[in-house]
Amino acid sequence: SLLRLLDERAKLISDDQDLVSSHPHLFVDDWVRVTSGEVVGESGEIWSVSEDFVIGQSPVTQSLYEAVMERQLPIRYGPLYPATAVSWIEAVQFCNQLSILLGLSPYYELDQDKVLTHVIDPNGLGVRLPRREEWCYAASGKRSWPYSGSNIPEEVAWSAHNSGSKVRPVARLKHNEFGLYDMSGNVWEWCEEGARDEEQSEICSGDHHPKWLLGGSWANHPWVFPIGEALAELPGYRDEFMGFRIARSLGDDERMISWRFDQYKPKSDDE
């Protein structure tokens, strides 16, 4: 199974065999289906999604990232911690590699120097980063709360108030109405778009095209990250406060609503 393949990959790169297990939740979190709709955020901004899509229940974990990419992260906390210090470019590479492992067509095209990025097909079904509108709508859970799942940040978000000045494992606090964890706090999350996307056809051009980060981190005070507030950083930038979450359009293909690798195998060469 693909789960076993990822398990073997993780064993090859792990320097701590106690952190390696074939238990699927060491590698993946469930996909969560987000139904279409519209919500007015606490700030008055309207977030609208016209089609259902799926999004990761939590930020991508260290175990999943390292197993898929076959390399260790520069900063390592533990298997169920968010993958941090990942640039936007590296997150896009991860999406493509995971698509390939799942037998899906990659969503992005990167040039040989990995400095130009294009969306191959906007209606494609490959793994991708969530768009800002999708991310904010999913975080809201169709509620006009400032934080994802509550008016009280400590219920749902690791922040400077309760984190102990460090990143925390995923899915330890209350989830929102869609069943999503850590949409507020813990790590800032890359989304697909950036501040200058309308200026050019590619979605990333070199390292001069800032991309949005949403959600806030363990080091921020909660008033810094109500839903919709964003940072803009260059796509090659990385630090310990940043992670990412993956998404996927559904189209007519709903086989991946269940996020279990052992059900899906890569396509063979003759398929």
Side-chain angles (χ1 to χ4, degrees):
S1 72
L2 187 53
L3 178 59
R4 190 173 298 111
L5 170 65
L6 292 177
D7 194 24
E8 292 304 314
R9 286 183 173 209
K11 288 177 182 177
L12 290 175
I13 62 174
S14 177
D15 54 9
D16 185 349
Q17 295 302 306
D18 291 336
L19 296 183
V20 176
S21 167
S22 60
H23 192 289
H25 288 290
L26 286 181
F27 295 100
V28 296
D29 298 297
D30 291 337
W31 286 111
V32 171
R33 183 172 187 150
V34 176
T35 55
S36 61
E38 182 177 282
V39 64
V40 179
E42 191 259 354
S43 66
E45 186 175 359
I46 298 173
W47 300 306
S48 178
V49 173
S50 60
E51 296 181 355
D52 293 6
F53 67 99
V54 290
I55 190 169
Q57 187 178 42
S58 72
V60 169
T61 60
Q62 174 186 298
S63 285
L64 177 58
Y65 184 90
E66 293 186 345
V68 170
M69 300 305 288
E70 297 186 274
R71 63 173 182 260
Q72 291 187 353
L73 287 159
I75 302 176
R76 308 181 76 228
Y77 298 101
L80 292 180
Y81 283 76
T84 61
V86 177
S87 70
W88 185 92
I89 290 288
E90 290 166 334
V92 165
Q93 293 170 354
F94 173 91
C95 290
N96 274 5
Q97 180 64 16
L98 182 53
S99 291
I100 292 168
L101 290 172
L102 291 172
L104 300 167
S105 297
Y107 189 79
Y108 302 104
E109 179 182 17
L110 285 78
D111 72 355
Q112 290 185 345
D113 296 323
K114 298 181 175 62
V115 295
L116 287 176
T117 308
H118 303 259
V119 171
I120 296 173
D121 177 5
N123 298 314
L125 302 181
V127 180
R128 57 177 174 81
L129 296 177
R131 298 157 191 141
R132 182 179 183 274
E133 190 94 353
E134 291 173 335
W135 193 99
C136 292
Y137 175 78
S140 76
K142 295 188 176 182
R143 300 291 295 270
S144 297
W145 283 338
Y147 306 104
S148 182
S150 180
N151 278 319
I152 304 170
E154 287 74 18
E155 291 184 349
V156 294
W158 294 113
S159 72
H161 290 185
N162 62 352
S163 68
S165 299
K166 59 185 178 181
V167 68
R168 294 296 189 135
V170 302
R172 292 298 192 266
L173 298 177
K174 178 182 172 184
H175 59 70
N176 76 355
E177 283 64 30
F178 282 128
L180 299 172
Y181 294 91
D182 299 309
M183 295 290 275
S184 293
N186 215 10
V187 290
W188 289 97
E189 298 181 12
W190 292 108
C191 66
E192 185 174 278
E193 304 99 321
R196 296 171 52 196
D197 279 9
E198 296 181 358
E199 298 178 17
Q200 51 205 77
S201 58
E202 62 270 4
I203 61 170
C204 178
S205 178
D207 205 19
H208 305 285
H209 192 179
K211 314 303 291 188
W212 296 123
L213 290 133
L214 299 164
S217 84
W218 54 268
N220 300 120
H221 293 286
W223 57 79
V224 172
F225 55 75
I227 297 172
E229 288 296 315
L231 295 179
E233 293 288 356
L234 296 175
Y237 182 73
R238 63 173 73 87
D239 70 27
E240 61 182 317
F241 311 107
M242 296 176 176
F244 69 103
R245 187 181 303 253
I246 51 179
R248 180 176 180 263
S249 301
L250 283 174
D252 296 325
D253 179 9
E254 301 197 3
R255 67 191 176 109
M256 281 185 57
I257 293 177
S258 176
W259 183 229
R260 286 172 53 96
F261 277 131
D262 53 352
Q263 295 177 357
Y264 310 106
K265 298 181 179 179
K267 294 178 181 178
S268 62
D269 293 339
D270 56 356
E271 284 188 285

